[in-house]
Amino acid sequence: MSRQLKGLGEEAGGAVRGSSRSGSPGTDDRSERRLSRKQAPKAEGAAGRRGALPGQKEQARGSPRAGSPRRKQVESRRHREELGVQERSTVERTREGRRKRNGRTSLKEQRTPPKKEKEVSKKETQKQRKKHRLPSLASSTSGGESLSEEELAKILEQVEEKKKLITTMRNKPWPMAKKLTELREAQEFVEKYEGALGKGKGKRLYAYRMQMTKKWIKFKRDFDNFKNQCIPWEMKIKDIESHFGSSVASYFIFLRWMYGVNLVLFGLIFGLVIIPEVLMGMPYGSIPRKTVPRAEEEKAMDFSVLWDFEGYMKYSALFYGYYNDQRTIGWLRYRLPMAYFMVGISVFGYSLMIVIRSMASNTQGSTSDGESDNFTFSFKMFTSWDYLIGNSETADNKYASITTSFKESIVDEQESSKEENIHLTRFLRVLANFLIICCLCGSGYLIYFVVKRSQEFSKMQNVSWYERNEVEIVMSLLGMFCPPLFETIAALENYHPRIGLKWQLGRIFALFLGNLYTFLLALMDDVHLKLSNEETIKNITHWTLFNYYNSSGWNESVPRPPLHPADVPRGSCWETAVGIEFMRLTVSDMLVTYITILLGDFLRACFVRFMNYCWCWDLEAGFPSYAEFDISGNVLGLIFNQGMIWMGSFYAPGLVGVNVLRLLTSMYFQCWAVMSSNVPHERVFKASRSNNFYMGLLLLVLFLSLLPVAYTIMSLPPSFDCGPFSGKNRMYDVIQETVENDFPTFLGKVFAFLANPGLIIPAILLMFLAIYYLNSVSKSLSRANAQLRKKIQALREVEKSHKSVKGRATARDSEDTAKDSSKNATQLQLTKAGTMPHSASQIQTLDMKAPGPGTSSSTSRTALPTSRHLLVSRPPSNRPDSGQARPQTHAGRSASRKSTQRPSH
Amino acid sequence: MGNKQTVFTHEQLEAYQDCTFFTRKEIMRLFYRYQDLAPQLVPLDYTNCPDVKVPYELIGSMPELKDNPFRQRIAQVFSEDGDGHMTLDNFLDMFSVMSEMAPRDLKAYYAFKIYDFNEDDYICMWDLEQTVTKLTRGELSAEEVSLVCEKVLDEADGDHDGRLSLDDFQNMILRAPDFLSTFHIRI
């Protein structure tokens, strides 16, 4: 053992000791011993097993030895064992000495040796590559005085390799015991040698860096552990998954994801807008916009009023109108209007980013779907069982659906085009689409009508509860009853269920979207009406104030007390009105969802369950039965709800808070409902494909909800007496104001320059060009991909046809030979030749695996010179069938096999 | 890290985390699941690696596996001797491969082994028939089964030797859109 290496080891051990996993004292000498031990049996193993390259090995070890490999093998092994013992003993001695010096021994050290022996012996059989290298390393360490550059590089390489092995250990298809030993070995190796790397002064640094890396890895792992623990509802979702398969669970995972997104939005809005306003803004009742008007005051605390988000609710920090247009608030001089605007924008920015990011990560995981028609049956066979299923009922359904799908594909395969009455189908489809468009238009008109009517109601006094909430009720009812109606109509169309589902989703989407936009349009009408009235109200306010301060009959010397804020006449504040509409819509939507679940699912389940004992027919199997969980409807509902949140959050900052509550309760409530009163789907849909589809819908909705908000911000003047932007011409003026007043003039100039159309238009053009370029690149790549796929396909086809031609040739061949022998043999050959490829391969299989009947063949194999085609040309004893014509067939077949042998074999 | 558990040493846990796709918490959960299967058999102290096997009858009755048509194959593939009796290491191995984080290649490798009923390293006609029968609970007729199997061979057998080698299987399964989402057991 070279002193130098030991020195290195000591140093490394000293540096690493504190952190290393087996941080016992004596790491250095342990590993030293390991090395010496390893080298002996390892070289022996390699030599013993391979028996071909002992000379090379030995040269590498530094003790040249020649001789015929086979004969000397045993001898050399014995010799080497002796050598190993010798080495071991010397090391033992040195270790004893060191131990005495150190004055302490570690328990582990004493425990390890037998295990190590085992490891080493295992390693012999496992790691070939390492074996080749280690002896040379050992020779260098034992023989040489110092580590040369080359050896260092070698060690470094090995260390890197080991490290890679450690990180990829979990990906190895080995049993755990092997993984554990390999891991331990690799770790010890790394621990030992990484300290020896680096030269001179670099050594300490290297060791230190290694230590830091190790700590960093450990920290990362702990952090990951912690992060995993923070994921909520894991067990709940797992439960659902095992009961209903992955598709239903995917809804809940989506819900959880949505909850996370909303939590972030909530943090953003509450942290940067609502809490500063509550803490530092002017208190309630200080100015008109923060005070309930005199006329509403007496009823402002009634529950019915609060429930409609009027009264005190309306004049609270939950809504836009409450915020003051003061540029800075509090001692922090917090610029609230600016913050309000920026948060409103960043809500959209964050949502866009997160949706697109998750979409991108979804697409990265999935493979192209153009492949699926190549492997219809294979995919059905190997991927149709959902291993997540842990519920017998679901399993039954899954079995049934798999059987059906197999039968369907068999039928498809047998007669790919079954002609029905195509005209009738077409007619029915057109009719169905017509009906559905009628439904959509009708629902759109109904909403428009209702919103218009509600504007009239809002002008009237003492309207009933129904009249106040008509819009929300009608919209919820439409959302509740239209989808089943669509489904009924869709039954006319007779589509394949998967295509049918897409149509159904598209229609529901169109319905929701139409409803939402009609609602928005009607709302916009209302806003415009309010805006046109604003001027007069503004005049009235001015006039009132003017009259109040200048009226006679007051002592001129004493200044009048300011008018009480509750008495000041004020505008309608359309922003708050919009916010309230969205708030009410969200709440009523939530209530309708819960009530639907309670009535439609839970009560139905109770009824079916308990009335089944005393009913004329079987309720559970017959008509009402239990409800299935409506995945697409629920997901779409969630998506549209989120759209409303995005739209409304600018005018009602509290909306996100309400939504967080909604999602939280809905998580628990729906989990409970689905477990208690739903049954698994009869057709279990795949969830994985539609995941991105839902995300795409979400993105579309996000974009569509961005439009109206952007429109109102950009082109409508804010109300003159409420909200953070009052008094400005447009809401975005707040940015200009901030730039002008708070930033240095230089920056102001830069901003002005950046906002120059001359710069913006080229920038947009550039972006377009970039998009165009990237798009064309991706297109060409995908085209190349498709081409390659086609090529592979063509190759397969060619191979197949080649094979069949070969098969026919073989048939003819064998026919000829058989003709010579006898006529009945020819008959036999004909029948056999048809099935030849399979039978040949089966024989091959038999030959490969069966040792019993293969004994005779193995003897013949040794006798015959050609080893390659032996598989086929075997003695006839293995063939259970076929009559007397066997020798001939073999000749013919082996010839044909020879010609069919492809280089790939 | 302040955990009061004494089942494993710290080093064991770290090693298990290196060798599986689980976090410390999940490993502990899996251990307790394992222990629950046979409380009188499995000790609560694994620091000295006791040699304990839980019989297949108990493994196969886990709710995660009991409805799986391939549960016996799964247990056989992951057990040491191919008899379905599992040590804790085998158990961890099994759920690690089946976990969400396991890469496609690893899953494909073990899926191949699972579907290779007669363990001859090839999925042959007989294996395919077994698979179909298990998947459909024998609802298909013999002709249908053989048709399906022939179709599968026709589609996926790249080297035309009448059976699927590991390469064939991986080549096919890596393109399957649903493989990752379905070949997965959540514990």
Side-chain angles (χ1 to χ4, degrees), chain B residues 2 4 19-20 27 42 57-58 65 70 91-92 102 108 114 116 134 166 170-171 177 187:
Chain B
K4 293 261 162 41
C19 291
T20 63
I27 289 169
V42 182
E57 290 71 38
L58 293 174
L65 288 175
F70 304 110
F91 191 76
L92 286 176
I114 286 171
D116 178 16
K134 281 205 186 293
L166 181 59
Q170 278 178 336
N171 182 32
I187 186 115

Side-chain angles (χ1 to χ4, degrees), chain A residues 508-524:
Chain A
I508 298 176
F509 191 78
L511 172 82
F512 281 7
L513 205 65
N515 291 358
L516 203 62
Y517 259 70
T518 334
F519 173 72
L520 272 181
L521 283 182
L523 212 59
M524 216 57 98

Side-chain angles (χ1 to χ4, degrees), chain A residues 207-362:
Chain A
Y208 179 73
R209 229 171 48 203
M210 283 304 136
Q211 188 183 340
M212 282 287 106
T213 341
K214 230 178 268 173
K215 275 198 171 159
W216 171 241
I217 289 172
K218 194 166 151 31
F219 170 77
K220 254 198 330 207
R221 173 173 288 171
D222 283 342
F223 186 70
D224 282 348
N225 281 356
F226 173 73
K227 232 172 34 183
N228 266 6
Q229 282 181 25
C230 290
I231 297 176
W233 305 309
E234 197 67 25
M235 294 314 283
K236 258 186 197 309
I237 290 176
K238 196 233 130 193
D239 253 15
I240 290 171
E241 211 163 37
S242 64
H243 270 85
F244 293 89
S246 51
S247 51
V248 174
S250 77
Y251 165 73
F252 286 94
I253 291 172
F254 188 59
L255 181 62
R256 185 174 65 183
W257 182 82
M258 209 61 125
Y259 180 71
V261 172
N262 273 287
L263 222 50
V264 172
L265 297 185
F266 176 75
L268 211 63
I269 291 179
F270 262 65
L272 293 179
V273 172
I274 294 186
I275 289 179
E277 169 68 31
V278 169
L279 288 184
M280 300 186 288
M282 293 169 100
Y284 171 82
S286 52
I287 47 173
R289 69 186 67 183
K290 297 192 177 190
T291 321
V292 179
R294 191 70 75 197
E296 296 172 24
E297 217 165 38
E298 53 193 278
K299 283 203 282 184
M301 209 52 198
D302 291 0
F303 181 72
S304 63
V305 174
L306 288 181
W307 184 246
D308 287 336
F309 293 100
E310 296 283 343
Y312 283 108
M313 280 293 212
K314 186 175 175 182
Y315 300 96
S316 71
L318 294 182
F319 290 105
Y320 172 93
Y322 184 77
Y323 294 85
N324 198 1
D325 60 346
Q326 242 178 326
R327 277 201 62 233
T328 59
I329 57 170
W331 50 273
L332 277 177
R333 303 186 60 70
Y334 188 74
R335 284 162 176 74
L336 191 75
M338 182 69 186
Y340 195 101
F341 191 77
M342 293 317 277
V343 164
I345 288 176
S346 52
V347 162
F348 281 104
Y350 173 76
S351 310
L352 269 175
M353 202 185 70
I354 198 91
V355 169
I356 288 177
R357 229 184 61 177
S358 74
M359 271 180 89
S361 69
N362 275 355

Side-chain angles (χ1 to χ4, degrees), chain A residues 483-500:
Chain A
L485 185 67
F486 288 172
E487 211 158 334
T488 322
I489 294 173
L492 283 177
E493 291 178 309
N494 203 12
Y495 275 126
H496 186 274
R498 200 169 303 132
I499 304 168

